[in-house]
Amino acid sequence: MSLQAFLQLALQTVLAPRDVARLLISARLAREALLTAFALVVALNTLVFAGMAALMPPDPSVAIGNLSPLAFMLLLGGSVVTAAVVITWAGRAMGGTAQFEDIALLLIWLQALRFLMQVALILISLVLPGAGVLLVIAAAVAGLWILLNFIDAAHGFGSLGKSVFVLFISLLGAVVGLSILLSLVGTSTLGLSDYV
């Protein structure tokens, strides 16, 4: 995929997320291609994390700020897999039809968009430091909108209400999963020890 095609698909994801979800799912990528894409987006997001940590050191009182690039990579990879499992399971419990590979592919694409947004954030912050906050807020809102539509399209609900419920259940499951992952990578608190 060329850079121009990638950027066009990224823009289309914001404008028509259900159409993009159906397009991506219809590609029926082989498992090897899915694993390669997964490894690529995790590696790229880890590089951006390491670069941002070097340019703008994070607050050490927050657990994510204390993560090494390797720990971040494991946490990100684990959270994507956990989210794919939980969204698939919760959606199927609500009558959805998505396969694990469908949800995994859509989450991998979201991670590719996350990488693009973070690169844009770095570039904008160098030119207009205050504008970075607006980009983060806009990206969070757009990301939520895209994710809800992706869940709806993948599971065939025809209802964003069901997607909201699936996402809520998935977040509960992800919190449990991420708590376990954080303890495995050596981070036991989220910067709350000073206040407890």
Side-chain angles (χ1 to χ4, degrees):
M1 177 183 287
S2 69
L3 178 61
Q4 182 179 0
F6 175 80
L7 294 175
Q8 285 177 343
L9 190 58
L11 178 61
Q12 191 65 18
T13 302
V14 177
L15 300 176
R18 289 176 203 234
D19 293 342
V20 171
R22 291 185 196 102
L23 175 69
L24 291 172
I25 291 170
S26 70
R28 295 291 172 212
L29 294 182
R31 188 165 294 225
E32 294 78 18
L34 203 58
L35 289 171
T36 301
F38 170 73
L40 180 62
V41 296
V42 169
L44 288 173
N45 277 291
T46 301
L47 285 174
V48 170
F49 170 80
M52 288 182 77
L55 288 173
M56 301 170 271
D59 184 352
S61 68
V62 178
I64 195 81
N66 295 319
L67 290 179
S68 68
L70 177 60
F72 177 82
M73 181 178 69
L74 293 173
L75 182 62
L76 179 61
S79 62
V80 170
V81 171
T82 300
V85 168
V86 176
I87 290 172
T88 302
W89 172 81
R92 286 181 154 275
M94 294 281 297
T97 58
Q99 300 294 319
F100 170 78
E101 291 81 4
D102 300 337
I103 300 296
L105 176 59
L106 296 178
L107 293 178
I108 288 167
W109 177 244
L110 281 176
Q111 289 304 313
L113 296 181
R114 180 178 187 263
F115 167 74
L116 182 65
M117 187 275 299
Q118 297 221 20
V119 170
L121 178 62
I122 292 171
L123 296 175
I124 288 173
S125 295
L126 293 174
V127 179
L128 299 166
V133 175
L134 296 176
L135 179 61
V136 168
I137 293 169
V141 171
L144 180 60
W145 168 251
I146 293 166
L147 181 56
L148 288 172
N149 279 280
F150 274 11
I151 291 170
D152 183 57
H155 278 295
F157 290 141
S159 164
L160 281 182
K162 281 189 175 181
S163 296
V164 169
F165 186 72
V166 167
L167 184 58
F168 176 73
I169 297 298
S170 300
L171 288 174
L172 291 178
V175 166
V176 172
L178 289 176
S179 297
I180 294 168
L181 281 172
L182 284 172
S183 65
L184 291 176
V185 297
T187 305
S188 59
T189 67
L190 294 174
L192 299 177
S193 58
D194 296 336
Y195 304 104
V196 179

